[in-house]
């Protein structure tokens, strides 16, 4: 209806699959999913990166840490998945442990509120074993 050109709609990530990108009169328009958790993930991992790329500068205080999973995690599909985690650093360990709080529903914010960050769970295969190294975007 707006005359925007759709560049893509739907990405291989969970949550956030319905994210899309459109273009209207030289302006990029990101369409975020309707569920709050999915929209937040889309904002943190897509919109913020687009803003920084277009400005050519890091303007957000984005801290990422390398952590290891505290327990096995079975992915539902082989897509990039984001999960809210609590981080804990054991004495004598250089790398924190990431404990997945809950798989989380796209509509549920309570796991995100209790989280220290969002773990990026990708790679091949459905099983990520305890001790697997994961990147965690710390939430402020």
């Amino acid at each position: 209806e707006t005359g925007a050109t759709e560049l893509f709609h739907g990405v291989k990530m969970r949550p956030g699959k319905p994210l899309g990108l459109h273009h209207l009169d030289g302006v990029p328009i990101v369409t975020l999913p309707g569920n709050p958790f999915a929209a937040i993930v889309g904002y943190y991992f897509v919109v913020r990166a687009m803003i920084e790329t277009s400005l050519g500068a890091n303007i957000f205080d984005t801290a990422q840490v390398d952590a290891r999973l505290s327990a096995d995690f079975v992915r539902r599909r082989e897509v990039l998945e984001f999960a809210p985690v609590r981080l804990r650093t054991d004495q004598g360990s250089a790398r924190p442990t990431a404990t997945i709080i809950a798989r989380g529903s796209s509509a549920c914010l309570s796991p995100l509120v209790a989280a220290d960050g969002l773990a990026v769970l990708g790679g091949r295969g459905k099983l990520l074993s305890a001790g697997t190294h994961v990147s965690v975007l710390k939430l402020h």
Side-chain angles (χ1 to χ4, degrees), residues 36-97:
F37 182 55
I40 289 169
V41 169
Y43 169 75
Y44 267 98
F45 288 97
V46 177
V47 176
R48 286 170 42 139
M50 287 177 64
I51 292 169
E52 288 185 335
T53 299
S54 68
L55 294 176
N58 294 329
I59 60 170
F60 298 106
D61 182 19
T62 305
Q64 287 195 343
V65 297
D66 185 36
R68 43 191 178 82
L69 288 177
S70 64
D72 291 350
F73 180 79
V74 179
R75 295 175 4 173
R76 293 181 181 148
R77 295 180 197 93
E78 290 191 39
V79 298
L80 191 57
E81 192 165 346
F82 302 94
V85 296
R86 284 197 187 105
L87 294 171
R88 188 182 85 214
T89 303
D90 295 325
Q91 197 169 27
S93 176
R95 183 170 287 126
T97 301

